[in-house]
Amino acid sequence: MCRLSTKPFYKLLVLLSLLILTGCAAAKQPIFLSSTFGKERIERIHVLPVVDLRFNKEPELPKLNKWILGTVKSSLKRKKYTFTIVSDTSLVGNITEEDLQTVDAEWVKDLGPTGSRWVMVIALLDAKSKLTFGSTGNAEVAGYLFDRMDGSIVWRDKGIGSVGQGGLIGMFLKGLMIGDAINMATSDLMRSFPDNEV
């Protein structure tokens, strides 16, 4: 019996959705944008490993950094930033949601690798998939850009992603839903990050 693979077709649908989000959709307003953003050239952004802030860390997501940071890299390139993806997970091991919300200047000054100034943190707040007659995936991420020089936050926003596929095809593709929802949420998040125009 000949079995038709539905994975390439589904991936094409998700890719088209992401292209619409990143290429055609207008930039959105972030939750917070410092009035100083854009007044001074950002020489290099250090992007830290993803912080998993889910209350329940299930399911395990071994590809989390690949999913999120791949989308962040594409967005920063398109917006004409120079950046470094930092791989040292010890730099984010103790970060909590409270740390990111309260923005203590001394804490910010100690964030990130030595010698860095502009530090970006992306946090996964929620990610889940559900099986019905089909399947769905939902995710929420938050992003922050800090200036270590004065211990301030210059940009903050959240992004959400929701994907789904009905019927038997969707049931077979449940395993892909979380990753695609996370990619979509990250694309939504980065839409509010300003272009580097200085």
Side-chain angles (χ1 to χ4, degrees):
M1 181 170 66
C2 178
R3 178 174 295 175
L4 179 63
S5 173
T6 57
K7 185 174 178 181
F9 175 71
Y10 172 73
K11 284 293 188 184
L12 178 61
L13 289 176
V14 171
L15 178 61
L16 289 173
S17 298
L18 289 174
L19 286 173
I20 290 169
L21 274 176
T22 60
C24 301
K28 65 174 187 168
Q29 293 298 311
I31 292 171
F32 173 77
L33 183 66
S34 169
S35 60
T36 63
F37 199 114
K39 303 283 179 25
E40 179 182 359
R41 182 166 181 80
I42 295 177
E43 295 295 338
R44 179 176 294 274
I45 296 173
H46 286 78
V47 184
L48 300 188
V50 177
V51 182
D52 188 350
L53 293 179
R54 292 177 296 161
F55 180 74
N56 181 352
K57 299 295 193 292
E58 294 294 332
E60 291 184 14
L61 300 172
K63 295 182 180 179
L64 181 59
N65 276 283
K66 179 180 177 183
W67 289 332
I68 289 181
L69 297 184
T71 302
V72 170
K73 283 167 61 175
S74 297
S75 179
L76 291 177
K77 283 180 184 176
R78 189 172 59 254
K79 293 171 183 285
K80 300 184 173 18
Y81 287 94
T82 301
F83 59 91
T84 297
I85 302 296
V86 180
S87 60
D88 185 357
T89 56
S90 68
L91 295 172
V92 299
N94 296 318
I95 292 179
T96 66
E97 191 166 4
E98 184 179 356
D99 292 329
L100 296 170
Q101 295 290 336
T102 55
V103 194
D104 176 73
E106 294 307 311
W107 180 83
V108 172
K109 289 177 181 179
D110 287 334
L111 183 65
T114 303
S116 62
R117 178 177 176 184
W118 308 98
V119 175
M120 179 177 280
V121 177
I122 308 293
L124 177 67
L125 304 179
D126 191 26
K128 58 190 170 221
S129 63
K130 184 178 180 182
L131 183 66
T132 55
F133 186 61
S135 59
T136 60
N138 296 281
E140 182 178 6
V141 298
Y144 309 80
L145 183 68
F146 298 101
D147 181 354
R148 292 182 66 215
M149 180 174 286
D150 61 6
S152 66
I153 183 169
V154 293
W155 169 83
R156 176 170 73 92
D157 203 5
K158 288 185 178 180
I160 57 172
S162 181
V163 296
Q165 175 68 50
L168 291 174
I169 293 175
M171 296 174 74
F172 286 124
L173 296 173
K174 180 180 182 291
L176 302 174
M177 292 294 170
I178 284 185
D180 291 333
I182 290 172
N183 283 334
M184 189 171 286
T186 309
S187 294
D188 182 48
L189 168 73
M190 294 302 293
R191 285 197 302 123
S192 75
F193 197 77
D195 292 343
N196 191 16
E197 297 177 336
V198 176

